[in-house]
Amino acid sequence: MRLHGKGNKIRICPLWPTTATSLARLVTDRDRNDAVFLGRMKEPLTRFGIHRVVTHYAAIASETVPTLATKRVSPHTIRHTTAVHLLRAGVDINTIRAWLGHVSLDTTHIYAEVDLEMKAKALAKIDISGLRKPSRQQSLPSLMAFLNAL
């Protein structure tokens, strides 16, 4: 699929076969270069129209998933969440960069840092106060004593 994005960037994205089948109904009897998603005036949806559709369906979904009601859901939220899921699935950061259409890998590293932050927050929630300290056969010197000896 060819996507026309922010800054007039054109991205080519593969689709799952089930997604392609679902979208095929929308493009029947249309020219290959016509937009897939049209508004009520039969013009291509703008980014504002897409934002409205996403927030509308997020509100509907919040009836089934109440925690969504307190979250801000936008097209960018979906984009960001997808990038983090790709990262967690082991997709390399350069592939994610290309998928997001970032010119610089530095921009994409934000997603890796967010993931590290999420991991740190998860660790902070774990109570390890009840763990016993491992018994040691011998006393080890302190780190500072070791460094001073170098």
Side-chain angles (χ1 to χ4, degrees):
M1 172 175 273
R2 186 173 57 104
L3 302 170
H4 181 223
K6 188 169 97 176
N8 281 329
K9 290 182 184 175
I10 300 294
R11 296 183 186 100
I12 305 296
C13 292
L15 296 175
W16 285 301
T18 54
T19 305
T21 301
S22 295
L23 291 175
R25 293 178 304 182
L26 295 174
V27 296
T28 302
D29 299 327
R30 287 203 219 162
D31 184 69
R32 176 181 173 89
N33 293 318
D34 286 349
V36 175
F37 300 104
L38 304 174
R40 64 177 179 244
M41 304 301 285
K42 303 298 182 208
E43 291 291 321
L45 274 180
T46 64
R47 62 188 179 115
F48 302 107
I50 292 169
H51 188 277
R52 186 179 46 78
V53 169
V54 168
T55 55
H56 172 76
Y57 282 98
I60 291 171
S62 71
E63 295 171 10
T64 306
V65 184
T67 56
L68 277 177
T70 62
K71 295 187 176 17
R72 184 175 176 267
V73 180
S74 69
H76 183 75
T77 307
I78 296 169
R79 175 181 160 89
H80 177 85
T81 303
T82 302
V84 172
H85 282 294
L86 288 169
L87 186 67
R88 288 180 181 167
V91 175
D92 74 284
I93 197 86
N94 198 42
T95 301
I96 297 169
R97 180 205 56 79
W99 183 83
L100 292 171
H102 292 159
V103 174
S104 169
L105 197 55
D106 292 337
T107 307
T108 313
H109 269 95
I110 293 166
Y111 295 97
E113 290 170 14
V114 167
D115 199 44
L116 289 174
E117 180 182 320
M118 294 168 113
K119 290 176 184 177
K121 284 181 180 177
L123 281 177
K125 291 180 180 180
I126 299 170
D127 179 20
I128 60 169
S129 60
L131 295 177
R132 293 183 303 154
K133 291 184 179 181
S135 60
R136 297 194 176 201
Q137 301 278 338
Q138 57 188 14
S139 174
L140 296 174
S142 73
L143 176 60
M144 288 307 294
F146 169 76
L147 292 174
N148 287 331
L150 294 177

